[in-house]
Amino acid sequence: MRRSLPPRPRLEYPDDLSPSSGSQPVHAGLNDRPMIKKLCCSALLLVSVCCFSQTSAPLGPLPDSDQVSWHHLEFYLFVHFGPNTFTDLEWGKGNEQEAVFNPAELDCGQWCRIAKAAGAKGIIITAKHHDGFCLWPSAYSRHTVKESPWRNGRGDVLAELSKSCRESGLLFGVYLSPWDRNHPQYGTPGYNEVFVNMMIEVSRRYGPLFEFWWDGANGEGPNGKKQVYDWGLFERTLRKNAPHTVIFSDIGPDIRWVGNERGKAGDPDWDFLDTAGFARGAGAPPTDTLNHGNVWGKHWIPPECDVSIRPGWFYHSAEDGQVKRPEDLFRLYLESVGRGANLLLNVPPNRKGLISPYDSAALMGFAKLRKQFTHPSLLQGSGVTISTRSHSGDTHTLIDGNEDSFLSLGGDFTQNYVEFVFQKPIAFNCLVLQEPVRMGQRISSFRIEMRTIADSLIVLSGQTIGRKRILVFPGQWLRSMRIRVTGAKGEPLLSECQAFYIRTQLPEPERKLNKS
């Protein structure tokens, strides 16, 4: 039974929520209004829940254990590095002299220190881009670091980076483009075996790899011919040699491209995809489908959002003044991780072989903004008590910090809701919701109703939740909140609910596409 609210207490208002500020209730969504100071408060929480089912069964398609682990990574770095770094190109022609590659001060330890400080969980490097230059001394090419003057021909970028990642507690992944504008066998059946052997070299010599990135590009080689890729052979090779490595491409098999290079997932964002009749590269599903997924898709293939911290993917000194600001990166986080996807942020080293101070400073600012999510949720604390009504589940699972525990809203979910009643009003401007993805993705629409101390109603609405959904809105003093699921593929499950203050003003979304 819900307790009555106590008399409204005396409140110390943040500057932009004082009674004299003219703050008005709004119908809020993701927007760019100024955020307010973080409020540290001890709230007494009352949770009321109606009519929950007693048992919950998984609803497929479902992720496997490696995909579940991948979901938890959320954010990691992409590193585009190679001859293009020194030629100021984005797509090398394949005829560049090996001598052009000579990063005299290369320090993969510096990359990892910056990645770690930025909160990234790993690094994926372009081991071979379209120009065909291999950043390791491959036995299957004569266009490698072995033929360059760097380290007197004895260098190995993959060896140095994989070692630094292990020492730093970061995961290591590899991008390997099947297109090769240098290799003489490209455009012949023999090249597929070349590419297979390169994958075996990389996975066995530098693994374990957390992710293997396939670019679908397929242009002409030095003989003027295009290659007919044997994707089935490629996939079987990786499954055999790196069985726990998740594989990225337009159509997976484990994770998919999000359909743009702006770092933005769709809303709705389904982790399902139908792949029948599609192929990687030119035969991929439409970008709109990749961005949103298929609501009734047959395979669990969640999206990864790739975007560069600069206009280009490789380092160009002319772009030193065009590095994305921390606030820009934070918005990308909200529009990728905050919509259930993972964020793959490209940070290209310069010609010395170092991440530039411009990029590093932006990453540190980005990390500072994201750390606001590591503070205890305002729905937790020593002053929290939980009360339930007419159901068999434990509502404490919504604030226990365990993504595997969950609460069901039952088969008649449209008549049910979760209600939070605060004995002492609290203020927040960010709400985080999660589904237990190991049980499947179910929710297709939801509605949040928040009652202010002035007895006005703020309404938020959205579509999918998935592994994580982050909602940002103008901050208000609140005395209660209801969460309703208005649409679902099956019995809706919620695993976590968190509330925070976010202390930043979000910039306008970028409207220009970055080109790789």
Side-chain angles (χ1 to χ4, degrees):
M1 180 173 181
R2 187 166 66 182
R3 297 167 56 186
S4 61
L5 287 172
R8 184 168 56 187
R10 293 175 61 87
L11 301 175
E12 182 180 348
Y13 286 85
D15 295 341
D16 59 351
L17 286 183
S18 64
S20 62
S21 68
S23 174
Q24 296 294 323
V26 295
H27 186 105
L30 182 63
N31 56 57
D32 304 314
R33 300 198 181 193
M35 302 305 174
I36 61 181
K37 298 177 181 178
K38 181 183 178 208
L39 175 68
C40 297
C41 67
S42 177
L44 187 65
L45 174 65
L46 187 73
V47 181
S48 299
V49 189
C50 302
C51 304
F52 291 76
S53 64
Q54 296 184 12
T55 59
S56 302
L59 180 64
L62 300 173
D64 63 28
S65 59
D66 295 318
Q67 289 173 313
V68 170
S69 297
W70 174 86
H71 273 288
H72 282 80
L73 298 178
E74 293 192 351
F75 164 57
Y76 35 93
L77 299 189
F78 216 177
V79 170
H80 277 62
F81 190 54
N84 294 345
T85 307
F86 300 87
T87 61
D88 262 338
L89 296 176
E90 283 291 299
W91 283 15
K93 299 177 180 179
N95 59 3
E96 293 82 10
Q97 295 297 311
E98 292 82 10
V100 74
F101 183 81
N102 193 12
E105 300 178 32
L106 183 133
D107 182 359
C108 291
Q110 186 243 17
W111 303 1
C112 290
R113 289 190 295 274
I114 291 173
K116 191 79 172 180
K121 300 296 179 61
I123 296 177
I124 298 175
I125 188 169
T126 54
K128 180 172 81 77
H129 205 252
H130 311 324
D131 53 47
F133 187 82
C134 299
L135 295 183
W136 78 102
S138 175
Y140 301 95
S141 175
R142 295 183 180 179
H143 193 48
T144 79
V145 289
K146 185 177 181 179
E147 287 74 40
S148 78
W150 176 64
R151 302 274 200 264
N152 295 316
R154 294 190 292 271
D156 187 334
V157 178
L158 300 194
E160 293 189 27
L161 181 55
S162 60
K163 180 175 182 290
S164 293
C165 283
R166 286 193 300 272
E167 293 174 347
S168 301
L170 296 171
L171 298 174
F172 178 61
V174 165
Y175 164 116
L176 203 66
S177 174
W179 186 14
D180 196 314
R181 304 183 76 176
N182 175 272
H183 204 285
Q185 286 188 267
Y186 185 86
T188 72
Y191 175 77
N192 284 327
E193 290 296 332
V194 169
F195 191 68
V196 160
N197 285 320
M198 287 182 173
M199 288 193 296
I200 293 173
E201 278 186 327
V202 168
S203 59
R204 290 184 178 178
R205 193 180 300 175
Y206 309 108
L209 307 175
F210 83 95
E211 181 172 328
F212 208 104
W213 224 87
W214 280 335
D215 195 310
N218 185 355
E220 296 179 351
N223 58 10
K225 297 180 180 180
K226 292 185 177 182
Q227 182 70 29
V228 178
Y229 299 138
D230 190 341
W231 289 111
L233 174 62
F234 300 165
E235 186 172 330
R236 291 192 299 273
T237 299
L238 277 183
R239 288 295 191 230
K240 178 180 179 180
N241 290 276
H244 296 292
T245 298
V246 295
I247 302 173
F248 168 97
S249 79
D250 301 307
I251 55 173
D254 300 316
I255 50 180
R256 73 177 191 264
W257 183 45
V258 77
N260 63 69
E261 294 178 343
R262 293 176 290 143
K264 185 174 181 178
D267 183 18
D269 177 18
W270 293 100
D271 289 325
F272 315 128
L273 190 69
D274 286 324
T275 60
F278 295 106
R280 296 171 176 91
T287 55
D288 184 67
T289 299
L290 292 170
N291 192 234
H292 295 284
N294 299 118
V295 59
W296 298 106
K298 294 182 179 180
H299 307 283
W300 187 278
I301 307 178
E304 179 181 80
C305 299
D306 60 319
V307 62
S308 185
I309 199 169
R310 292 163 169 260
W313 291 87
F314 287 87
Y315 176 84
H316 309 291
S317 59
E319 295 178 355
D320 283 346
Q322 301 178 59
V323 174
K324 289 180 174 63
R325 300 174 299 163
E327 295 80 8
D328 297 316
L329 299 176
F330 188 67
R331 173 170 284 283
L332 291 175
Y333 179 83
L334 295 177
E335 294 179 340
S336 55
V337 176
R339 294 181 181 176
N342 277 11
L343 175 60
L344 176 60
L345 178 63
N346 180 64
V347 182
N350 60 27
R351 294 182 180 183
K352 293 180 179 179
L354 302 172
I355 293 177
S356 81
Y358 306 97
D359 305 69
S360 178
L363 287 171
M364 296 308 102
F366 177 38
K368 184 177 180 180
L369 292 174
R370 284 195 344 278
K371 280 183 179 178
Q372 296 174 99
F373 289 118
T374 65
H375 296 160
S377 165
L378 293 174
L379 304 182
Q380 293 177 314
S382 59
V384 173
T385 60
I386 301 176
S387 175
T388 64
R389 182 176 71 207
S390 302
H391 75 96
S392 60
D394 180 6
T395 54
H396 188 266
T397 60
L398 293 177
I399 59 171
D400 65 359
N402 180 6
E403 294 185 27
D404 288 332
S405 64
F406 57 85
L407 193 65
S408 167
L409 273 73
D412 55 346
F413 59 88
T414 57
Q415 304 301 314
N416 302 335
Y417 56 84
V418 180
E419 184 171 60
F420 298 82
V421 178
F422 315 119
Q423 185 179 29
K424 293 182 179 179
I426 63 174
F428 55 89
N429 56 18
C430 177
L431 190 66
V432 181
L433 301 175
Q434 293 184 255
E435 287 183 80
V437 292
R438 66 180 179 86
M439 299 289 288
Q441 186 184 9
R442 304 158 182 251
I443 297 172
S444 59
S445 61
F446 61 90
R447 175 183 171 95
I448 313 294
E449 301 166 354
M450 297 180 287
R451 185 69 63 178
T452 72
I453 58 174
D455 205 34
S456 298
L457 191 66
I458 298 176
V459 178
L460 307 178
S461 59
Q463 299 189 67
T464 50
I465 292 177
R467 194 259 161 182
K468 178 173 285 189
R469 184 62 188 265
I470 303 175
L471 301 164
V472 178
F473 51 93
Q476 296 279 338
W477 285 98
L478 303 172
R479 66 179 187 180
S480 67
M481 174 178 69
R482 285 184 178 181
I483 301 175
R484 299 180 183 272
V485 172
T486 55
K489 295 177 62 177
E491 173 191 3
L493 308 178
L494 286 174
S495 63
E496 287 295 302
C497 180
Q498 299 173 301
F500 301 96
Y501 256 89
I502 303 300
R503 297 173 293 167
T504 186
Q505 182 172 349
L506 299 177
E508 287 291 330
E510 290 188 4
R511 292 179 172 82
K512 294 182 179 180
L513 289 174
N514 291 334
K515 297 181 179 180
S516 65

